[in-house]
Amino acid sequence: MTSSADAVAPPSPSAVAKVVLVLEALASVHGVSEISRGTGLPTSTVHRILQELVGLGWVRVDADRRYLPGVRLLSLAGQSASIPQIVRPILQRLCAETGHTIHFALLSGDEAVYVDKLEGDRAYAMRSRIGLSIPLHCTAIGKSILASLPKPELRTRLSRLPLTAMTPRTITDPDLLVAHLEQVGSRGYSVDDEENEEHTRCLGAAVLDHHGAPIGGISVSALTFDLDRTKVRTCAPLLLTAAREASQALGLPARRD
């Protein structure tokens, strides 16, 4: 008969098993201590695993310091539709701050697709809709995405795009567009100045993934009379803050100045 003293202790989980335990725990608990209790792993081990997963974009940390599934994990699980839900509170605040219509679009091939839209408090409404595909070369979101690409990738993508003139203001010359996008990259946001639709002006800023690559963008849209040059200067910093926070919510590490 084997005594309790002679009993063989269960093997310690492998490094891979520990990561799996932590990821499984994230379905129901979101703090280091709770995950530690649920998995039986030391808090120091849980914290180290979570920090590595955050750096890889598999886990994100919200404003309340809760650990949640990140965009890469959601995409792998077929839940990329959750991305707009993650970003929506940021869009809601931007809409309240500006009073204008706010769009969120994700890059899809050589176009972008609206995945969320919040109407402003104006008497008019934008004709856009969720699910609408938009060109990259003449929309605020599209130009902000293009301006975030490395120059070789930008040139390759532009060679594929039909630079269709949507209005008389659309930039259709590739060299002129590249020069324009350099200015966009320098200031951090783009302006669609009646380039996609007459009488409409939009500001756009790119949303980046955990590698710093553009996956989409946020825009502030209004009729031209309602978004003049003075209001552009007022709205642009609010938009840039929203785009930065959306990027961080989707896994981009916070910049340390």
mmCIF file of all heavy atoms in Angstrom, residues 103-155:
data_model
loop_
_atom_site.group_PDB
_atom_site.id
_atom_site.type_symbol
_atom_site.label_atom_id
_atom_site.label_comp_id
_atom_site.label_asym_id
_atom_site.label_seq_id
_atom_site.Cartn_x
_atom_site.Cartn_y
_atom_site.Cartn_z
ATOM 1 N N HIS A 103 -17.467 58.301 -37.966
ATOM 2 C CA HIS A 103 -17.397 57.004 -38.643
ATOM 3 C C HIS A 103 -16.183 56.228 -38.148
ATOM 4 O O HIS A 103 -15.148 56.817 -37.837
ATOM 5 C CB HIS A 103 -17.256 57.171 -40.164
ATOM 6 C CG HIS A 103 -18.424 57.802 -40.826
ATOM 7 N ND1 HIS A 103 -18.448 59.137 -41.176
ATOM 8 C CD2 HIS A 103 -19.617 57.286 -41.220
ATOM 9 C CE1 HIS A 103 -19.605 59.418 -41.754
ATOM 10 N NE2 HIS A 103 -20.330 58.312 -41.795
ATOM 11 N N PHE A 104 -16.335 54.913 -38.125
ATOM 12 C CA PHE A 104 -15.209 54.014 -37.876
ATOM 13 C C PHE A 104 -15.213 52.987 -38.989
ATOM 14 O O PHE A 104 -16.228 52.336 -39.245
ATOM 15 C CB PHE A 104 -15.350 53.339 -36.514
ATOM 16 C CG PHE A 104 -14.283 52.325 -36.194
ATOM 17 C CD1 PHE A 104 -12.946 52.575 -36.492
ATOM 18 C CD2 PHE A 104 -14.598 51.120 -35.580
ATOM 19 C CE1 PHE A 104 -11.959 51.651 -36.193
ATOM 20 C CE2 PHE A 104 -13.620 50.190 -35.272
ATOM 21 C CZ PHE A 104 -12.299 50.463 -35.582
ATOM 22 N N ALA A 105 -14.094 52.870 -39.697
ATOM 23 C CA ALA A 105 -13.988 51.938 -40.820
ATOM 24 C C ALA A 105 -12.761 51.067 -40.655
ATOM 25 O O ALA A 105 -11.752 51.491 -40.078
ATOM 26 C CB ALA A 105 -13.909 52.694 -42.150
ATOM 27 N N LEU A 106 -12.847 49.841 -41.156
ATOM 28 C CA LEU A 106 -11.727 48.913 -41.143
ATOM 29 C C LEU A 106 -11.237 48.676 -42.561
ATOM 30 O O LEU A 106 -12.038 48.632 -43.506
ATOM 31 C CB LEU A 106 -12.138 47.586 -40.503
ATOM 32 C CG LEU A 106 -12.452 47.626 -39.010
ATOM 33 C CD1 LEU A 106 -12.960 46.269 -38.533
ATOM 34 C CD2 LEU A 106 -11.243 48.052 -38.200
ATOM 35 N N LEU A 107 -9.935 48.538 -42.694
ATOM 36 C CA LEU A 107 -9.325 48.267 -43.987
ATOM 37 C C LEU A 107 -9.749 46.887 -44.475
ATOM 38 O O LEU A 107 -9.699 45.905 -43.731
ATOM 39 C CB LEU A 107 -7.811 48.348 -43.867
ATOM 40 C CG LEU A 107 -6.986 48.194 -45.149
ATOM 41 C CD1 LEU A 107 -7.310 49.296 -46.139
ATOM 42 C CD2 LEU A 107 -5.491 48.211 -44.804
ATOM 43 N N SER A 108 -10.172 46.806 -45.724
ATOM 44 C CA SER A 108 -10.577 45.538 -46.328
ATOM 45 C C SER A 108 -10.048 45.507 -47.755
ATOM 46 O O SER A 108 -10.645 46.092 -48.662
ATOM 47 C CB SER A 108 -12.110 45.403 -46.318
ATOM 48 O OG SER A 108 -12.517 44.190 -46.922
ATOM 49 N N GLY A 109 -8.898 44.841 -47.938
ATOM 50 C CA GLY A 109 -8.280 44.841 -49.261
ATOM 51 C C GLY A 109 -7.816 46.232 -49.627
ATOM 52 O O GLY A 109 -7.091 46.887 -48.878
ATOM 53 N N ASP A 110 -8.256 46.712 -50.780
ATOM 54 C CA ASP A 110 -7.885 48.047 -51.240
ATOM 55 C C ASP A 110 -9.007 49.051 -51.029
ATOM 56 O O ASP A 110 -9.085 50.083 -51.725
ATOM 57 C CB ASP A 110 -7.497 47.997 -52.731
ATOM 58 C CG ASP A 110 -6.147 47.332 -52.937
ATOM 59 O OD1 ASP A 110 -5.309 47.398 -52.024
ATOM 60 O OD2 ASP A 110 -5.934 46.726 -54.005
ATOM 61 N N GLU A 111 -9.883 48.764 -50.078
ATOM 62 C CA GLU A 111 -10.951 49.679 -49.687
ATOM 63 C C GLU A 111 -11.023 49.701 -48.163
ATOM 64 O O GLU A 111 -10.308 48.983 -47.485
ATOM 65 C CB GLU A 111 -12.301 49.221 -50.250
ATOM 66 C CG GLU A 111 -12.389 49.195 -51.758
ATOM 67 C CD GLU A 111 -13.739 48.674 -52.238
ATOM 68 O OE1 GLU A 111 -14.215 47.666 -51.676
ATOM 69 O OE2 GLU A 111 -14.312 49.278 -53.164
ATOM 70 N N ALA A 112 -11.889 50.550 -47.658
ATOM 71 C CA ALA A 112 -12.221 50.523 -46.236
ATOM 72 C C ALA A 112 -13.733 50.364 -46.139
ATOM 73 O O ALA A 112 -14.470 50.775 -47.046
ATOM 74 C CB ALA A 112 -11.770 51.798 -45.530
ATOM 75 N N VAL A 113 -14.181 49.756 -45.055
ATOM 76 C CA VAL A 113 -15.608 49.483 -44.884
ATOM 77 C C VAL A 113 -16.071 50.082 -43.558
ATOM 78 O O VAL A 113 -15.459 49.835 -42.508
ATOM 79 C CB VAL A 113 -15.895 47.965 -44.893
ATOM 80 C CG1 VAL A 113 -17.382 47.698 -44.661
ATOM 81 C CG2 VAL A 113 -15.448 47.347 -46.212
ATOM 82 N N TYR A 114 -17.150 50.872 -43.616
ATOM 83 C CA TYR A 114 -17.713 51.422 -42.392
ATOM 84 C C TYR A 114 -18.259 50.295 -41.519
ATOM 85 O O TYR A 114 -19.094 49.503 -41.963
ATOM 86 C CB TYR A 114 -18.849 52.387 -42.701
ATOM 87 C CG TYR A 114 -18.426 53.706 -43.299
ATOM 88 C CD1 TYR A 114 -19.126 54.261 -44.370
ATOM 89 C CD2 TYR A 114 -17.349 54.426 -42.783
ATOM 90 C CE1 TYR A 114 -18.763 55.481 -44.915
ATOM 91 C CE2 TYR A 114 -16.970 55.639 -43.325
ATOM 92 C CZ TYR A 114 -17.677 56.160 -44.395
ATOM 93 O OH TYR A 114 -17.311 57.362 -44.927
ATOM 94 N N VAL A 115 -17.792 50.236 -40.271
ATOM 95 C CA VAL A 115 -18.306 49.229 -39.330
ATOM 96 C C VAL A 115 -19.057 49.876 -38.177
ATOM 97 O O VAL A 115 -19.690 49.181 -37.388
ATOM 98 C CB VAL A 115 -17.165 48.344 -38.787
ATOM 99 C CG1 VAL A 115 -16.550 47.513 -39.902
ATOM 100 C CG2 VAL A 115 -16.100 49.180 -38.086
ATOM 101 N N ASP A 116 -19.007 51.196 -38.080
ATOM 102 C CA ASP A 116 -19.801 51.894 -37.074
ATOM 103 C C ASP A 116 -20.001 53.335 -37.520
ATOM 104 O O ASP A 116 -19.163 53.905 -38.231
ATOM 105 C CB ASP A 116 -19.118 51.855 -35.703
ATOM 106 C CG ASP A 116 -20.108 52.001 -34.549
ATOM 107 O OD1 ASP A 116 -21.313 52.238 -34.817
ATOM 108 O OD2 ASP A 116 -19.692 51.857 -33.385
ATOM 109 N N LYS A 117 -21.127 53.899 -37.091
ATOM 110 C CA LYS A 117 -21.457 55.282 -37.430
ATOM 111 C C LYS A 117 -22.305 55.862 -36.310
ATOM 112 O O LYS A 117 -23.271 55.226 -35.867
ATOM 113 C CB LYS A 117 -22.230 55.351 -38.751
ATOM 114 C CG LYS A 117 -22.734 56.759 -39.110
ATOM 115 C CD LYS A 117 -23.608 56.752 -40.354
ATOM 116 C CE LYS A 117 -24.137 58.142 -40.664
ATOM 117 N NZ LYS A 117 -25.040 58.153 -41.852
ATOM 118 N N LEU A 118 -21.940 57.044 -35.850
ATOM 119 C CA LEU A 118 -22.709 57.750 -34.835
ATOM 120 C C LEU A 118 -23.116 59.101 -35.402
ATOM 121 O O LEU A 118 -22.256 59.889 -35.805
ATOM 122 C CB LEU A 118 -21.893 57.954 -33.555
ATOM 123 C CG LEU A 118 -21.736 56.766 -32.611
ATOM 124 C CD1 LEU A 118 -20.846 55.689 -33.216
ATOM 125 C CD2 LEU A 118 -21.158 57.221 -31.270
ATOM 126 N N GLU A 119 -24.406 59.362 -35.444
ATOM 127 C CA GLU A 119 -24.900 60.630 -35.962
ATOM 128 C C GLU A 119 -24.627 61.749 -34.968
ATOM 129 O O GLU A 119 -24.723 61.561 -33.749
ATOM 130 C CB GLU A 119 -26.408 60.554 -36.227
ATOM 131 C CG GLU A 119 -26.795 59.632 -37.377
ATOM 132 C CD GLU A 119 -26.496 60.218 -38.751
ATOM 133 O OE1 GLU A 119 -25.951 61.347 -38.822
ATOM 134 O OE2 GLU A 119 -26.804 59.552 -39.756
ATOM 135 N N GLY A 120 -24.292 62.928 -35.484
ATOM 136 C CA GLY A 120 -24.086 64.088 -34.637
ATOM 137 C C GLY A 120 -25.400 64.717 -34.239
ATOM 138 O O GLY A 120 -26.483 64.150 -34.470
ATOM 139 N N ASP A 121 -25.321 65.898 -33.649
ATOM 140 C CA ASP A 121 -26.529 66.566 -33.182
ATOM 141 C C ASP A 121 -27.037 67.614 -34.170
ATOM 142 O O ASP A 121 -27.861 68.468 -33.817
ATOM 143 C CB ASP A 121 -26.267 67.213 -31.818
ATOM 144 C CG ASP A 121 -25.130 68.233 -31.855
ATOM 145 O OD1 ASP A 121 -24.672 68.608 -32.958
ATOM 146 O OD2 ASP A 121 -24.687 68.657 -30.762
ATOM 147 N N ARG A 122 -26.577 67.526 -35.414
ATOM 148 C CA ARG A 122 -27.000 68.500 -36.417
ATOM 149 C C ARG A 122 -28.378 68.149 -36.987
ATOM 150 O O ARG A 122 -28.865 67.022 -36.846
ATOM 151 C CB ARG A 122 -25.989 68.577 -37.551
ATOM 152 C CG ARG A 122 -24.576 69.000 -37.169
ATOM 153 C CD ARG A 122 -24.561 70.119 -36.141
ATOM 154 N NE ARG A 122 -23.301 70.834 -36.094
ATOM 155 C CZ ARG A 122 -22.517 70.892 -35.023
ATOM 156 N NH1 ARG A 122 -22.847 70.225 -33.927
ATOM 157 N NH2 ARG A 122 -21.414 71.606 -35.035
ATOM 158 N N ALA A 123 -28.986 69.121 -37.672
ATOM 159 C CA ALA A 123 -30.315 68.902 -38.253
ATOM 160 C C ALA A 123 -30.243 68.042 -39.509
ATOM 161 O O ALA A 123 -31.257 67.503 -39.958
ATOM 162 C CB ALA A 123 -30.964 70.247 -38.575
ATOM 163 N N TYR A 124 -29.059 67.914 -40.068
ATOM 164 C CA TYR A 124 -28.890 67.102 -41.275
ATOM 165 C C TYR A 124 -28.207 65.790 -40.912
ATOM 166 O O TYR A 124 -27.669 65.635 -39.815
ATOM 167 C CB TYR A 124 -28.053 67.850 -42.319
ATOM 168 C CG TYR A 124 -26.689 68.257 -41.829
ATOM 169 C CD1 TYR A 124 -25.602 67.379 -41.867
ATOM 170 C CD2 TYR A 124 -26.474 69.539 -41.320
ATOM 171 C CE1 TYR A 124 -24.355 67.752 -41.409
ATOM 172 C CE2 TYR A 124 -25.219 69.918 -40.852
ATOM 173 C CZ TYR A 124 -24.167 69.033 -40.898
ATOM 174 O OH TYR A 124 -22.923 69.391 -40.442
ATOM 175 N N ALA A 125 -28.244 64.842 -41.846
ATOM 176 C CA ALA A 125 -27.605 63.539 -41.633
ATOM 177 C C ALA A 125 -26.713 63.213 -42.826
ATOM 178 O O ALA A 125 -27.012 63.584 -43.968
ATOM 179 C CB ALA A 125 -28.651 62.440 -41.460
ATOM 180 N N MET A 126 -25.615 62.536 -42.557
ATOM 181 C CA MET A 126 -24.737 62.058 -43.618
ATOM 182 C C MET A 126 -25.386 60.862 -44.320
ATOM 183 O O MET A 126 -26.084 60.060 -43.695
ATOM 184 C CB MET A 126 -23.381 61.643 -43.050
ATOM 185 C CG MET A 126 -22.593 62.749 -42.369
ATOM 186 S SD MET A 126 -21.858 63.954 -43.520
ATOM 187 C CE MET A 126 -22.999 65.321 -43.327
ATOM 188 N N ARG A 127 -25.130 60.720 -45.619
ATOM 189 C CA ARG A 127 -25.759 59.634 -46.383
ATOM 190 C C ARG A 127 -25.050 58.298 -46.218
ATOM 191 O O ARG A 127 -25.515 57.281 -46.730
ATOM 192 C CB ARG A 127 -25.778 60.003 -47.876
ATOM 193 C CG ARG A 127 -26.676 61.191 -48.187
ATOM 194 C CD ARG A 127 -26.859 61.355 -49.679
ATOM 195 N NE ARG A 127 -25.597 61.635 -50.352
ATOM 196 C CZ ARG A 127 -25.475 61.730 -51.687
ATOM 197 N NH1 ARG A 127 -26.526 61.524 -52.463
ATOM 198 N NH2 ARG A 127 -24.301 62.006 -52.219
ATOM 199 N N SER A 128 -23.946 58.292 -45.514
ATOM 200 C CA SER A 128 -23.176 57.063 -45.319
ATOM 201 C C SER A 128 -23.969 56.049 -44.495
ATOM 202 O O SER A 128 -24.955 56.392 -43.828
ATOM 203 C CB SER A 128 -21.870 57.400 -44.599
ATOM 204 O OG SER A 128 -22.153 58.131 -43.412
ATOM 205 N N ARG A 129 -23.502 54.789 -44.535
ATOM 206 C CA ARG A 129 -24.169 53.730 -43.767
ATOM 207 C C ARG A 129 -23.146 52.657 -43.419
ATOM 208 O O ARG A 129 -22.130 52.482 -44.093
ATOM 209 C CB ARG A 129 -25.314 53.112 -44.576
ATOM 210 C CG ARG A 129 -24.874 52.562 -45.921
ATOM 211 C CD ARG A 129 -25.994 51.877 -46.679
ATOM 212 N NE ARG A 129 -25.579 51.513 -48.031
ATOM 213 C CZ ARG A 129 -24.826 50.468 -48.333
ATOM 214 N NH1 ARG A 129 -24.409 49.661 -47.362
ATOM 215 N NH2 ARG A 129 -24.493 50.207 -49.584
ATOM 216 N N ILE A 130 -23.411 51.939 -42.347
ATOM 217 C CA ILE A 130 -22.562 50.825 -41.946
ATOM 218 C C ILE A 130 -22.589 49.757 -43.041
ATOM 219 O O ILE A 130 -23.652 49.436 -43.581
ATOM 220 C CB ILE A 130 -23.038 50.239 -40.606
ATOM 221 C CG1 ILE A 130 -22.844 51.264 -39.485
ATOM 222 C CG2 ILE A 130 -22.292 48.950 -40.277
ATOM 223 C CD1 ILE A 130 -23.399 50.825 -38.144
ATOM 224 N N GLY A 131 -21.427 49.242 -43.385
ATOM 225 C CA GLY A 131 -21.314 48.249 -44.447
ATOM 226 C C GLY A 131 -20.908 48.835 -45.783
ATOM 227 O O GLY A 131 -20.567 48.090 -46.714
ATOM 228 N N LEU A 132 -20.909 50.165 -45.887
ATOM 229 C CA LEU A 132 -20.536 50.822 -47.140
ATOM 230 C C LEU A 132 -19.030 50.787 -47.335
ATOM 231 O O LEU A 132 -18.262 51.110 -46.429
ATOM 232 C CB LEU A 132 -21.011 52.274 -47.134
ATOM 233 C CG LEU A 132 -20.692 53.115 -48.377
ATOM 234 C CD1 LEU A 132 -21.499 52.623 -49.573
ATOM 235 C CD2 LEU A 132 -20.979 54.595 -48.113
ATOM 236 N N SER A 133 -18.583 50.382 -48.523
ATOM 237 C CA SER A 133 -17.166 50.407 -48.873
ATOM 238 C C SER A 133 -16.804 51.792 -49.394
ATOM 239 O O SER A 133 -17.566 52.389 -50.163
ATOM 240 C CB SER A 133 -16.856 49.351 -49.936
ATOM 241 O OG SER A 133 -17.080 48.054 -49.439
ATOM 242 N N ILE A 134 -15.641 52.294 -48.991
ATOM 243 C CA ILE A 134 -15.214 53.623 -49.415
ATOM 244 C C ILE A 134 -13.812 53.547 -50.017
ATOM 245 O O ILE A 134 -12.993 52.722 -49.612
ATOM 246 C CB ILE A 134 -15.226 54.623 -48.237
ATOM 247 C CG1 ILE A 134 -14.329 54.126 -47.093
ATOM 248 C CG2 ILE A 134 -16.644 54.842 -47.750
ATOM 249 C CD1 ILE A 134 -14.166 55.127 -45.958
ATOM 250 N N PRO A 135 -13.519 54.382 -51.000
ATOM 251 C CA PRO A 135 -12.177 54.374 -51.609
ATOM 252 C C PRO A 135 -11.152 54.966 -50.659
ATOM 253 O O PRO A 135 -11.481 55.731 -49.751
ATOM 254 C CB PRO A 135 -12.362 55.250 -52.854
ATOM 255 C CG PRO A 135 -13.526 56.142 -52.528
ATOM 256 C CD PRO A 135 -14.436 55.335 -51.650
ATOM 257 N N LEU A 136 -9.898 54.596 -50.874
ATOM 258 C CA LEU A 136 -8.836 55.060 -49.998
ATOM 259 C C LEU A 136 -8.252 56.401 -50.430
ATOM 260 O O LEU A 136 -7.797 57.176 -49.583
ATOM 261 C CB LEU A 136 -7.713 54.015 -49.940
ATOM 262 C CG LEU A 136 -8.086 52.627 -49.409
ATOM 263 C CD1 LEU A 136 -6.846 51.724 -49.407
ATOM 264 C CD2 LEU A 136 -8.702 52.701 -48.024
ATOM 265 N N HIS A 137 -8.245 56.678 -51.724
ATOM 266 C CA HIS A 137 -7.488 57.832 -52.214
ATOM 267 C C HIS A 137 -8.176 59.175 -52.011
ATOM 268 O O HIS A 137 -7.531 60.215 -52.116
ATOM 269 C CB HIS A 137 -7.172 57.654 -53.704
ATOM 270 C CG HIS A 137 -8.368 57.766 -54.606
ATOM 271 N ND1 HIS A 137 -9.374 56.832 -54.622
ATOM 272 C CD2 HIS A 137 -8.721 58.716 -55.526
ATOM 273 C CE1 HIS A 137 -10.283 57.182 -55.514
ATOM 274 N NE2 HIS A 137 -9.915 58.320 -56.076
ATOM 275 N N CYS A 138 -9.474 59.173 -51.698
ATOM 276 C CA CYS A 138 -10.189 60.447 -51.653
ATOM 277 C C CYS A 138 -11.077 60.608 -50.424
ATOM 278 O O CYS A 138 -11.863 61.566 -50.367
ATOM 279 C CB CYS A 138 -11.018 60.628 -52.930
ATOM 280 S SG CYS A 138 -12.255 59.333 -53.182
ATOM 281 N N THR A 139 -10.992 59.705 -49.468
ATOM 282 C CA THR A 139 -11.755 59.843 -48.232
ATOM 283 C C THR A 139 -10.795 60.129 -47.082
ATOM 284 O O THR A 139 -9.612 59.785 -47.143
ATOM 285 C CB THR A 139 -12.545 58.558 -47.916
ATOM 286 O OG1 THR A 139 -11.631 57.451 -47.811
ATOM 287 C CG2 THR A 139 -13.567 58.262 -49.012
ATOM 288 N N ALA A 140 -11.312 60.742 -46.039
ATOM 289 C CA ALA A 140 -10.461 61.100 -44.912
ATOM 290 C C ALA A 140 -9.868 59.859 -44.245
ATOM 291 O O ALA A 140 -8.670 59.806 -43.956
ATOM 292 C CB ALA A 140 -11.257 61.922 -43.903
ATOM 293 N N ILE A 141 -10.714 58.857 -44.014
ATOM 294 C CA ILE A 141 -10.209 57.626 -43.412
ATOM 295 C C ILE A 141 -9.211 56.955 -44.343
ATOM 296 O O ILE A 141 -8.139 56.514 -43.919
ATOM 297 C CB ILE A 141 -11.371 56.674 -43.069
ATOM 298 C CG1 ILE A 141 -12.136 57.198 -41.851
ATOM 299 C CG2 ILE A 141 -10.854 55.254 -42.808
ATOM 300 C CD1 ILE A 141 -13.341 56.373 -41.462
ATOM 301 N N GLY A 142 -9.562 56.869 -45.616
ATOM 302 C CA GLY A 142 -8.680 56.216 -46.581
ATOM 303 C C GLY A 142 -7.331 56.884 -46.684
ATOM 304 O O GLY A 142 -6.281 56.219 -46.693
ATOM 305 N N LYS A 143 -7.314 58.208 -46.731
ATOM 306 C CA LYS A 143 -6.042 58.917 -46.855
ATOM 307 C C LYS A 143 -5.204 58.791 -45.581
ATOM 308 O O LYS A 143 -3.977 58.720 -45.650
ATOM 309 C CB LYS A 143 -6.281 60.389 -47.204
ATOM 310 C CG LYS A 143 -6.835 60.593 -48.608
ATOM 311 C CD LYS A 143 -6.689 62.023 -49.095
ATOM 312 C CE LYS A 143 -7.505 62.992 -48.275
ATOM 313 N NZ LYS A 143 -7.382 64.382 -48.782
ATOM 314 N N SER A 144 -5.868 58.735 -44.430
ATOM 315 C CA SER A 144 -5.108 58.556 -43.195
ATOM 316 C C SER A 144 -4.469 57.171 -43.149
ATOM 317 O O SER A 144 -3.355 57.009 -42.644
ATOM 318 C CB SER A 144 -6.011 58.776 -41.978
ATOM 319 O OG SER A 144 -6.986 57.758 -41.857
ATOM 320 N N ILE A 145 -5.171 56.173 -43.681
ATOM 321 C CA ILE A 145 -4.608 54.821 -43.760
ATOM 322 C C ILE A 145 -3.401 54.807 -44.698
ATOM 323 O O ILE A 145 -2.327 54.299 -44.361
ATOM 324 C CB ILE A 145 -5.670 53.819 -44.237
ATOM 325 C CG1 ILE A 145 -6.745 53.625 -43.159
ATOM 326 C CG2 ILE A 145 -5.033 52.475 -44.611
ATOM 327 C CD1 ILE A 145 -7.929 52.795 -43.614
ATOM 328 N N LEU A 146 -3.565 55.366 -45.886
ATOM 329 C CA LEU A 146 -2.478 55.391 -46.861
ATOM 330 C C LEU A 146 -1.259 56.129 -46.323
ATOM 331 O O LEU A 146 -0.121 55.708 -46.523
ATOM 332 C CB LEU A 146 -2.954 56.044 -48.158
ATOM 333 C CG LEU A 146 -3.991 55.282 -48.988
ATOM 334 C CD1 LEU A 146 -4.441 56.128 -50.180
ATOM 335 C CD2 LEU A 146 -3.433 53.942 -49.466
ATOM 336 N N ALA A 147 -1.499 57.233 -45.612
ATOM 337 C CA ALA A 147 -0.386 58.032 -45.089
ATOM 338 C C ALA A 147 0.383 57.301 -44.004
ATOM 339 O O ALA A 147 1.526 57.670 -43.708
ATOM 340 C CB ALA A 147 -0.912 59.359 -44.543
ATOM 341 N N SER A 148 -0.215 56.250 -43.426
ATOM 342 C CA SER A 148 0.442 55.488 -42.364
ATOM 343 C C SER A 148 1.261 54.316 -42.894
ATOM 344 O O SER A 148 1.924 53.626 -42.115
ATOM 345 C CB SER A 148 -0.604 54.969 -41.366
ATOM 346 O OG SER A 148 -1.327 56.038 -40.791
ATOM 347 N N LEU A 149 1.214 54.099 -44.203
ATOM 348 C CA LEU A 149 1.946 52.981 -44.796
ATOM 349 C C LEU A 149 3.394 53.370 -45.089
ATOM 350 O O LEU A 149 3.686 54.531 -45.403
ATOM 351 C CB LEU A 149 1.281 52.553 -46.110
ATOM 352 C CG LEU A 149 -0.144 52.004 -46.034
ATOM 353 C CD1 LEU A 149 -0.686 51.778 -47.447
ATOM 354 C CD2 LEU A 149 -0.185 50.704 -45.238
ATOM 355 N N PRO A 150 4.323 52.428 -45.020
ATOM 356 C CA PRO A 150 5.690 52.695 -45.480
ATOM 357 C C PRO A 150 5.665 53.079 -46.958
ATOM 358 O O PRO A 150 4.807 52.608 -47.716
ATOM 359 C CB PRO A 150 6.406 51.353 -45.267
ATOM 360 C CG PRO A 150 5.566 50.619 -44.264
ATOM 361 C CD PRO A 150 4.153 51.056 -44.503
ATOM 362 N N LYS A 151 6.577 53.931 -47.367
ATOM 363 C CA LYS A 151 6.574 54.463 -48.732
ATOM 364 C C LYS A 151 6.532 53.369 -49.800
ATOM 365 O O LYS A 151 5.733 53.470 -50.743
ATOM 366 C CB LYS A 151 7.790 55.372 -48.939
ATOM 367 C CG LYS A 151 7.832 56.069 -50.293
ATOM 368 C CD LYS A 151 6.690 57.060 -50.475
ATOM 369 C CE LYS A 151 6.868 58.283 -49.611
ATOM 370 N NZ LYS A 151 8.001 59.143 -49.959
ATOM 371 N N PRO A 152 7.345 52.295 -49.732
ATOM 372 C CA PRO A 152 7.270 51.252 -50.772
ATOM 373 C C PRO A 152 5.883 50.604 -50.841
ATOM 374 O O PRO A 152 5.368 50.351 -51.932
ATOM 375 C CB PRO A 152 8.343 50.242 -50.348
ATOM 376 C CG PRO A 152 9.293 51.019 -49.507
ATOM 377 C CD PRO A 152 8.441 52.005 -48.776
ATOM 378 N N GLU A 153 5.299 50.330 -49.666
ATOM 379 C CA GLU A 153 3.966 49.715 -49.654
ATOM 380 C C GLU A 153 2.921 50.676 -50.198
ATOM 381 O O GLU A 153 1.990 50.268 -50.893
ATOM 382 C CB GLU A 153 3.604 49.283 -48.235
ATOM 383 C CG GLU A 153 2.284 48.521 -48.164
ATOM 384 C CD GLU A 153 1.956 48.046 -46.762
ATOM 385 O OE1 GLU A 153 2.852 48.076 -45.887
ATOM 386 O OE2 GLU A 153 0.794 47.643 -46.533
ATOM 387 N N LEU A 154 3.083 51.962 -49.895
ATOM 388 C CA LEU A 154 2.157 52.962 -50.412
ATOM 389 C C LEU A 154 2.195 52.990 -51.930
ATOM 390 O O LEU A 154 1.150 52.987 -52.592
ATOM 391 C CB LEU A 154 2.518 54.340 -49.842
ATOM 392 C CG LEU A 154 1.775 55.532 -50.463
ATOM 393 C CD1 LEU A 154 0.273 55.416 -50.245
ATOM 394 C CD2 LEU A 154 2.311 56.844 -49.885
ATOM 395 N N ARG A 155 3.389 53.014 -52.504
ATOM 396 C CA ARG A 155 3.522 53.047 -53.961
ATOM 397 C C ARG A 155 2.915 51.797 -54.598
ATOM 398 O O ARG A 155 2.223 51.878 -55.619
ATOM 399 C CB ARG A 155 4.996 53.163 -54.337
ATOM 400 C CG ARG A 155 5.581 54.547 -54.148
ATOM 401 C CD ARG A 155 5.074 55.511 -55.199
ATOM 402 N NE ARG A 155 5.769 56.795 -55.161
ATOM 403 C CZ ARG A 155 5.511 57.804 -55.986
ATOM 404 N NH1 ARG A 155 4.568 57.657 -56.902
ATOM 405 N NH2 ARG A 155 6.168 58.937 -55.887
#
